[in-house]
Amino acid sequence: MIRLFTWSKTTIKRYTNDKIIPYVFTLSDDPMLFRDLLKTNKMYQDGLKLEGNIPGFRFSVGRSYVVFIIIWHLIMLPPAAIFHHPLTKIDCHLLIIMAVLFTGMFFAMYAIFKEYLIDAVAHKILQRGWENHFPHFDYDLHAKEVAKIYAEALDKEIPHKEMQLYILEKLVEKK
């Protein structure tokens, strides 16, 4: 059972990265600037809202709705087909309430879907920028550490010209 769940989770992530993200987002080929990488990494590590704050991608709302509606129907049509006969016998007032609840659930799930996609793209952009600016440090091991060092550098009011050297010195010092 766990193996099946792991297989489906990796398949979903791979399908999302290979098909959905390229369809919904337009990613820039330009490398991310160092200060943008630091700012975005700090926001990502702090769990802040990333939409509109990350340079290098454009989000297509229409395409995201198309993808979400397809996924929604793939999930909702089988139960609707199974429970169609009992639903025909329910009072119309209860059906109206159910319609309102499912509409609210649709838009709430779309908001979660949109945030998931934006987080996935942010992670992808951060890793690509990380490879460009910190090629000798693993992203997964050092991203939180760089965010803390960047916050310290901002507190100490270190100029942007010296920021990269300061962060690299601190990383090497802690290693």
Side-chain angles (χ1 to χ4, degrees):
M1 182 67 178
I2 294 173
R3 188 173 178 185
L4 177 65
F5 178 72
T6 306
W7 175 83
S8 64
K9 188 176 179 182
T10 57
T11 304
I12 290 170
K13 281 187 177 184
R14 191 172 340 121
Y15 188 78
T16 300
N17 286 332
D18 295 344
K19 304 290 183 193
I20 295 174
I21 287 176
Y23 180 71
V24 174
F25 293 92
T26 304
L27 300 176
S28 174
D29 292 333
D30 297 335
M32 188 177 229
L33 296 174
F34 185 72
R35 66 177 173 263
D36 291 338
L37 173 68
L38 293 175
K39 179 182 170 191
T40 305
N41 181 51
K42 178 153 178 24
M43 291 173 60
Y44 184 79
Q45 297 302 325
D46 291 345
L48 299 176
K49 185 177 179 184
L50 299 171
E51 184 180 3
N53 294 320
I54 301 175
F57 76 88
R58 197 181 92 226
F59 179 70
S60 174
V61 176
R63 288 183 175 196
S64 69
Y65 269 115
V66 168
V67 170
F68 182 71
I69 287 171
I70 290 170
I71 293 170
W72 177 265
H73 280 88
L74 287 174
I75 293 170
M76 295 307 284
L77 282 179
I82 291 170
F83 296 110
H84 176 72
H85 187 68
L87 288 173
T88 59
K89 307 233 185 276
I90 295 177
D91 182 39
C92 69
H93 295 94
L94 185 59
L95 288 176
I96 292 170
I97 293 170
M98 286 176 60
V100 169
L101 291 174
F102 274 96
T103 302
M105 191 168 72
F106 174 84
F107 288 109
M109 293 302 293
Y110 173 73
I112 293 169
F113 173 74
K114 182 178 167 185
E115 289 297 319
Y116 170 75
L117 286 181
I118 289 173
D119 280 348
V121 168
H123 188 73
K124 191 175 188 178
I125 289 173
L126 282 170
Q127 283 185 326
R128 190 169 39 164
W130 191 274
E131 290 171 3
N132 188 27
H133 295 289
F134 296 108
H136 303 292
F137 298 96
D138 185 43
Y139 175 78
D140 296 325
L141 295 175
H142 299 287
K144 289 183 181 179
E145 189 177 346
V146 168
K148 289 178 185 174
I149 295 170
Y150 176 63
E152 290 173 15
L154 290 177
D155 288 342
K156 292 181 180 180
E157 297 179 1
I158 296 192
H160 284 290
K161 293 178 189 176
E162 299 169 12
M163 187 75 69
Q164 188 169 10
L165 181 61
Y166 178 80
I167 290 174
L168 287 173
E169 284 176 352
K170 289 290 186 178
L171 277 174
V172 170
E173 193 177 283
K174 289 184 180 183
K175 207 171 186 184

